[in-house]
Amino acid sequence: MLAMQVTRAGAPLQAVDLPVPQPGPHEVLVQVLACGVCRTDLHIIDGELPPRHPGMVPGHEVVGRVVAAGPGATRFAVGTRIGIPWLGGSCGHCAYCGAQHENLCDTPVFTGYDRPGGFAEYTVADERYCFALPDAYDDAHAAPLLCAGLIGFRAYRLAGLQGRSRLGLYGFGAAAHIIAQIAVAEGHAVHAFVRPGDDQSARFARELGAVWAGASDALPPEPLDAALIFAPVGALVPAALRAVRKGGVVVCAGIHMSDIPSFPYALLWGERCVRSVANLTREDGEAFFDCLARHPVATHVQTYPLAQANAAVAALRAGAIDGAAVLLP
Ligand SMILES: [Zn+2]
Ligand SMILES: [Zn+2]
């Protein structure tokens, strides 16, 4: 099968011919139908997340069809279309797993990082961590739901919005374009913060219902109740703190960020709160897909053939994608 592998930090992915993997206990063999390209894949390709295994195949927004089941795997029939997310396994017995925080597991298994992911024609996954997918989304449009949507949704829930609120979204890419639609449907006023001069993203945000869109160093017309930071830029933390009201929350939703510059304590004063979001739990996924059933969102995707994964990576890196980049084998 064709797979796109990480070779060394910062180098392009390399197309390789690998044997089709065999499913182990509780695993399914999946023919990949589509796989989203996430910012985290860039961090893995660039070595900003230290490599755990040589020759990793990235990709953790995998839409695929079950073609074989390993021993004990009975949850999905052969032929079922499923989604494989970033959390590919957890230990089940550490303190975090025991407290319904499997996203913080001490020995997690991440798809496309600890085990091969979806930048390939086939992959295997532990079926207990996979999701059934709504039929309303075709393969390409379902892919970004699996990380941008799902972890974006965890960040959105952790913002703790109550009643109609003013929500800021910093970085208007794959995650923000999904969460903006959910927030608008739930009655919140979405404020989109984009790279200064990125008029196209600002326009895209307004088309999706944002009441305000402006540069990330600008202040909103009124203080925000909460802000979600999806761009991997540490300088956005003090910028977002400046934009939220007393008691407001700033949620950092990415796995990696450039250093946060020092800032005056006055920005944090007033019981403002900064927190991060790490990974996902299976419960987040169930809650997210329930939410989508109530508030369908339209995902915007730009598709690339699997063999052109490097072009998709470059476009994402350049901020040239409205919505999400998706690879099609
Ligand atoms: Zn654990
Ligand atoms: Zn991701």
Side-chain angles (χ1 to χ4, degrees):
M1 67 170 189
L2 170 65
M4 300 299 289
Q5 259 184 349
V6 176
T7 51
R8 60 185 166 74
L13 295 165
Q14 195 163 41
V16 291
D17 187 23
L18 296 179
V20 172
Q22 295 299 309
H26 294 291
E27 289 181 344
V28 285
L29 172 64
V30 166
Q31 181 184 10
V32 178
L33 303 170
C35 185
V37 184
C38 173
R39 173 77 50 184
T40 299
D41 297 316
L42 267 58
H43 297 316
I44 291 169
I45 293 166
D46 292 343
E48 287 160 337
L49 296 180
R52 304 249 189 119
H53 302 279
M56 183 47 58
V57 176
H60 56 271
E61 296 182 301
V62 190
V63 176
R65 192 170 305 289
V66 175
V67 292
T74 56
R75 188 172 161 216
F76 299 109
V78 167
T80 309
R81 190 178 73 144
I82 63 170
I84 308 172
W86 170 244
L87 185 69
S90 56
C91 77
H93 52 71
C94 73
Y96 296 102
C97 283
Q100 269 89 55
H101 297 307
E102 65 186 1
N103 61 307
L104 301 178
C105 176
D106 284 331
T107 51
V109 177
F110 294 124
T111 307
Y113 188 40
D114 295 303
R115 62 184 298 161
F119 289 12
E121 291 177 302
Y122 291 87
T123 191
V124 291
D126 186 326
E127 65 165 10
R128 296 168 294 184
Y129 293 83
C130 297
F131 296 105
L133 292 174
D135 290 335
Y137 296 85
D138 68 21
D139 303 332
H141 289 86
L145 301 175
L146 286 158
C147 182
L150 216 166
I151 297 182
F153 185 70
R154 180 176 176 84
Y156 173 68
R157 289 211 290 179
L158 288 177
L161 301 182
Q162 285 170 352
R164 290 172 186 270
S165 303
R166 284 186 294 272
L167 175 68
L169 302 177
Y170 284 77
F172 207 83
H177 98 285
I178 294 171
I179 297 309
Q181 294 176 61
I182 291 174
V184 168
E186 294 194 333
H188 304 303
V190 169
H191 296 64
F193 295 81
V194 303
R195 288 186 217 195
D198 186 356
D199 298 335
Q200 190 175 329
S201 293
R203 206 163 37 239
F204 184 47
R206 284 192 208 96
E207 281 166 18
L208 294 178
V211 296
W212 181 93
S216 54
D217 53 1
L219 283 177
E222 289 180 86
L224 305 171
D225 297 299
L228 313 182
I229 302 180
F230 293 116
V233 180
L236 293 176
V237 173
L241 277 171
R242 209 168 257 128
V244 299
R245 62 162 170 81
K246 287 181 284 188
V249 181
V250 174
V251 183
C252 305
I255 193 169
H256 173 84
M257 208 180 224
S258 56
D259 286 354
I260 301 170
S262 72
F263 55 87
Y265 177 60
L267 291 185
L268 188 62
W269 173 247
E271 301 196 346
R272 290 175 183 83
C273 172
V274 178
R275 67 168 302 162
S276 66
V277 157
N279 315 314
L280 69 139
T281 65
R282 285 170 281 183
E283 192 275 331
D284 289 321
E286 303 304 337
F288 175 55
F289 287 112
D290 281 354
C291 176
L292 287 184
R294 291 191 305 277
H295 304 302
V297 309
T299 58
H300 293 242
V301 301
Q302 202 162 317
T303 61
Y304 294 79
L306 172 62
Q308 287 172 30
N310 286 309
V313 165
L316 180 58
R317 200 189 296 287
I321 307 265
D322 270 349
V326 176
L327 304 179
L328 300 177

